[in-house]
Amino acid sequence: INQFSLSGSLMRVNQLFIVQEKETSVMKLHNNFVFQHACMTPLSILSCSLENMSVSSSAHEIKNALKSAQEATKRLTQLIKSVTKQEQEECFFLISTAISEVVLLFKQKYNCEIAYTSFLPKNIKLFGNKLYFQEVLVCLLNNAYEAHEGSKEAHISFVVKVVSGSLSINIVDFAKGMTPLAQKMALIEGVSYKEKGLGLGLFFTKQTIESQFGGELKISSRLGMGTHVQVVLPIPTPKPYSQTLAQS
């Protein structure tokens, strides 16, 4: 009986190691995807800015292109540091700062009209991975812009507020909209409505919101009116000082 128990225990330990190895491999792939996706936007801005500087004869346009290139380079530097120094571990970060950085990059990349409105209290923070949070926003804003199919008259509404102790992020594209079936299909891995899409962006976004922040992704859309995407993330309540001392 002891021999069978020992054999069963060893098999169980081996299974646990296999599961842990799989989870580690999945996390490595996930982190790799996040990093690559995060680099795409500043690299695109940097490339366009350098091209604009090479063909423009206007000092004002060259100055703007140089500013965009500098901001993109700054963002790339931050991303590289996040990997080499592991600065993107879970911690508290300012929500308003994280969002402002994304909005700035988005405007530089697409040069479209985005109405960003923030009703956030001053210095409010979120706990988690800042890079993951920003990539969620990048994915959603990219989708909102691409829903206009390259139109220069793209208008996007981006509203952030706190509702019942949770962070509510609302993005409306005012584009062509989707059918109820298309809304459900869009969340499935590998399904894409873009010509060269991989079907990973929205799937990654939903998985990240749920697994990294314990939040929820909601999509509502009507044909001819546009799509409204809402992200709801719980905001952690800081522990009282007395409670912190008691635990230490």
Side-chain angles (χ1 to χ4, degrees), residues 27 30-42 75-84 86-94 97-99 101-102 105 126-139 204-205 208-209 212-213:
M27 283 304 298
H30 194 252
N31 291 337
N32 187 43
F33 171 78
V34 173
F35 180 71
Q36 289 183 7
H37 195 276
C39 289
M40 287 175 64
T41 297
R75 176 62 175 166
L76 283 170
T77 303
Q78 291 173 343
L79 291 172
I80 293 171
K81 284 183 178 180
S82 74
V83 175
T84 57
Q86 297 183 341
E87 291 179 351
Q88 287 297 339
E89 296 178 353
E90 292 187 347
C91 60
F92 282 98
F93 60 88
L94 282 172
T97 301
I99 293 177
E101 291 173 356
V102 171
L105 285 172
L126 191 67
F127 183 81
N129 188 304
K130 181 182 175 182
L131 176 60
Y132 279 24
F133 174 76
Q134 290 183 315
E135 282 313 295
V136 163
L137 299 182
V138 169
C139 283
F204 153 78
T205 298
T208 301
I209 290 170
Q212 299 292 324
F213 296 96

Side-chain angles (χ1 to χ4, degrees), residues 10-72:
L10 289 173
M11 288 180 63
R12 178 58 180 162
V13 170
N14 186 48
Q15 289 174 349
L16 288 173
F17 275 122
I18 292 174
V19 170
Q20 288 177 351
E21 286 179 0
K22 287 183 177 180
E23 290 179 348
T24 302
S25 298
V26 170
M27 283 304 298
K28 285 181 178 179
L29 287 172
H30 194 252
N31 291 337
N32 187 43
F33 171 78
V34 173
F35 180 71
Q36 289 183 7
H37 195 276
C39 289
M40 287 175 64
T41 297
L43 281 173
S44 176
I45 296 172
L46 185 59
S47 176
C48 291
S49 298
L50 292 174
E51 184 178 350
N52 290 337
M53 282 190 285
S54 66
V55 299
S56 178
S57 57
S58 167
H60 179 69
E61 290 179 358
I62 292 176
K63 183 178 179 180
N64 287 338
L66 180 60
K67 183 179 179 180
S68 295
Q70 289 173 335
E71 290 294 336

Side-chain angles (χ1 to χ4, degrees), residues 179-243:
T179 64
L181 177 60
Q183 294 176 49
K184 294 180 180 179
M185 294 291 291
L187 295 172
I188 299 175
E189 183 179 9
V191 175
S192 176
Y193 298 107
K194 304 172 189 176
E195 185 177 348
K196 297 181 180 180
L198 299 175
L200 295 175
L202 204 53
F203 173 78
F204 153 78
T205 298
K206 184 175 184 297
Q207 293 294 315
T208 301
I209 290 170
E210 294 174 351
S211 63
Q212 299 292 324
F213 296 96
E216 184 180 5
L217 175 67
K218 302 177 182 180
I219 300 178
S220 59
S221 184
R222 292 185 64 181
L223 287 175
M225 297 186 67
T227 300
H228 172 204
V229 177
Q230 182 185 31
V231 178
V232 180
L233 304 178
I235 299 175
T237 304
K239 296 180 180 180
Y241 183 68
S242 58
Q243 185 178 347

